[in-house]
């Protein structure tokens, strides 16, 4: 029998931008600010978004629309240093914390649910702790690290209230088993609806899946494994 595991992904979509704003005593005030990467905007504050700017917009276009935009190149090394510090902080919930480039923390929490009184309380406390430090967070539980990360990065957070209400019950089930089984059940339909681009954003595999008309993970998983292996 496979070992039951339970994972929490804490995705920080504006990690670099918010680290920059935290270093400013005034937090940037009402200035539109953004980070750029390879000539395109990648992380924007609310003031920049209010001016009509969007992620992946060409930097030249953004500056023509918003001439007072305060923009900096994205500093990936600095982001990774910040992520490592936040990973150290996250060990308050579990000693098993991994960093996933460029801006996600992945926590294995199956052995922590009894101590904290539930996986929902771990997620809520972790999100509140990061928000208190000035970071935006998209979080999700999942039965595997990749499933938790895919859901968090897509903004498909499991409803914690619905999850607690739907936990399996039984005299032989431990708190760990209840939460592992409950999360796996609740995550399954959300994972089925995720676009295949959430796991294969680019490259040969992404092109092949597009050509085959496999736009969602549910369609990909429905293929016979032998046929899928032959194609991929």
């Amino acid at each position: 029998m496979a070992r039951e595991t339970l994972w929490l992904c804490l995705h920080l979509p504006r990690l670099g931008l918010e680290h920059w704003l935290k270093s400013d005593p005034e937090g940037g005030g009402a200035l539109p600010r953004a980070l750029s990467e390879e000539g395109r905007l990648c992380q924007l504050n609310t003031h920049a978004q209010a001016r009509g700017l969007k992620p992946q917009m060409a930097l030249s276009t953004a500056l023509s629309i918003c001439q007072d935009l305060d923009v900096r190149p994205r500093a990936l090394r600095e982001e990774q240093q910040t992520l490592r510090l936040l990973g150290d902080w996250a060990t308050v919930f579990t000693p098993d914390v991994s960093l996933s480039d460029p801006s996600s923390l992945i926590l294995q929490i199956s052995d922590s649910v009894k101590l904290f009184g539930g996986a929902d309380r771990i997620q809520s406390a972790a999100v509140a702790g990061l928000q208190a430090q000035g970071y935006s967070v998209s979080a999700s539980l999942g039965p595997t690290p990749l499933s938790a990360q895919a859901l968090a990065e897509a903004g498909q957070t499991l409803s914690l209230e619905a999850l607690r209400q739907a936990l399996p019950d039984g005299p032989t089930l431990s708190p760990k088993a209840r939460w592992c089984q409950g999360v796996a059940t609740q995550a399954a339909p959300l994972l089925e609806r995720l676009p295949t681009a959430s796991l294969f954003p680019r490259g040969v595999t992404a092109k092949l899946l597009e050509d085959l008309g496999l736009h969602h993970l549910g369609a990909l998983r429905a293929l016979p494994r032998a046929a899928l292996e032959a194609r991929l």
Side-chain angles (χ1 to χ4, degrees):
M1 180 178 178
R3 177 172 177 261
E4 292 179 313
T5 59
L6 178 59
W7 301 81
L8 169 64
C9 178
L10 303 166
H11 176 55
L12 300 107
R14 289 181 289 277
L15 176 62
L17 177 69
E18 289 166 344
H19 177 73
W20 171 22
L21 297 181
K22 278 164 57 68
S23 66
D24 185 334
E26 298 181 358
L31 290 175
R33 287 187 168 182
L35 298 182
S36 66
E37 188 174 31
E38 298 182 351
R40 295 186 177 275
L41 302 184
C42 59
Q43 299 178 25
L44 297 77
N45 69 356
T46 55
H47 301 298
Q49 293 171 355
R51 300 283 284 274
L53 307 185
K54 299 179 180 179
Q56 297 305 309
M57 179 179 284
L59 181 57
S60 57
T61 302
L63 290 171
S64 68
I65 295 173
C66 182
Q67 296 180 2
D68 60 341
L69 176 66
D70 189 2
V71 59
R72 290 185 181 182
R74 185 178 186 185
L76 283 172
R77 180 177 297 179
E78 189 173 288
E79 283 189 34
Q80 288 306 293
Q81 292 174 344
T82 304
L83 191 65
R84 283 195 292 271
L85 291 174
L86 294 175
D88 291 340
W89 167 83
T91 57
V92 69
F93 303 107
T94 172
D96 192 351
V97 178
S98 301
L99 311 183
S100 181
D101 292 341
S103 54
S104 293
L105 299 172
I106 302 180
L107 288 63
Q108 202 283 96
I109 61 169
S110 58
D111 294 326
S112 302
V113 292
K114 183 176 182 180
L115 175 63
F116 285 88
D120 56 341
R121 294 181 178 176
I122 297 175
Q123 177 175 315
S124 296
V127 168
L130 289 170
Q131 290 175 338
Q133 296 178 65
Y135 296 104
S136 304
V137 190
S138 174
S140 182
L141 298 163
T144 66
L146 187 57
S147 65
Q149 184 174 3
L151 290 170
E153 293 184 356
Q156 297 294 317
T157 301
L158 276 67
S159 168
L160 298 183
E161 181 179 355
L163 178 58
R164 181 172 278 275
Q165 293 177 352
L167 288 178
D169 202 2
T172 62
L173 289 178
S174 66
K176 173 181 176 179
R178 294 181 68 216
W179 280 99
C180 288
Q181 293 179 27
V183 167
T185 300
Q186 294 293 309
L190 292 179
L191 290 166
E192 295 282 294
R193 294 193 292 269
L194 281 185
T196 52
S198 62
L199 296 186
F200 308 100
R202 60 186 66 85
V204 176
T205 299
K207 178 66 167 59
L208 179 58
L209 294 175
E210 180 70 22
D211 291 344
L212 291 173
L214 300 173
H215 304 298
H216 297 88
L217 296 184
L220 181 62
R221 294 185 61 196
L223 286 180
R225 181 172 294 274
L228 186 61
E229 289 178 348
R231 287 173 171 81
L232 301 180

